[in-house]
Amino acid sequence: MQPLLTRVARRGRDLASQLRRAMWSVSLNLAEGFGSQAGQARLRFETARGSLCESRTALHVAVAWGHLQGHRIKHGTISIT
């Protein structure tokens, strides 16, 4: 992901920062969910899911705005066309 973040940052530093934070949030909230009690675990997993949706949307925005040229996003994967 770092090469993609670098490309986005060249033309949209704020978007790259937001994308980076959202991606960190996914992994950190998943880890916290696995280490939490049942009620708190669900909250962390839901937060991770929200951050995943935010990350995916940020990638779509980056493509739409031309920050990632030649990239396609499909079913959560990124491919270079």
Side-chain angles (χ1 to χ4, degrees), residues 20-39:
R20 182 179 294 113
R21 287 191 310 274
M23 289 189 306
W24 285 342
S25 179
V26 172
S27 57
L28 295 174
N29 276 292
L30 284 174
E32 193 170 352
F34 283 113
S36 298
Q37 298 296 323

Side-chain angles (χ1 to χ4, degrees), residues 57-76:
T57 300
L59 288 169
H60 282 287
V61 168
V63 170
W65 289 357
H67 299 326
L68 292 176
Q69 296 176 350
H71 291 77
R72 285 191 352 222
I73 302 169
K74 184 176 181 180
H75 303 295

Side-chain angles (χ1 to χ4, degrees), residues 1 4-5 8 15-16 18-26 46-65 68 71-79:
M1 289 304 298
L4 290 176
L5 284 169
V8 172
L15 181 60
Q18 183 69 26
L19 176 56
R20 182 179 294 113
R21 287 191 310 274
M23 289 189 306
W24 285 342
S25 179
V26 172
E46 289 175 358
T47 301
R49 188 173 119 192
S51 294
L52 179 61
C53 290
E54 181 181 359
S55 298
R56 184 175 52 216
T57 300
L59 288 169
H60 282 287
V61 168
V63 170
W65 289 357
L68 292 176
H71 291 77
R72 285 191 352 222
I73 302 169
K74 184 176 181 180
H75 303 295
T77 62
I78 301 168
S79 62

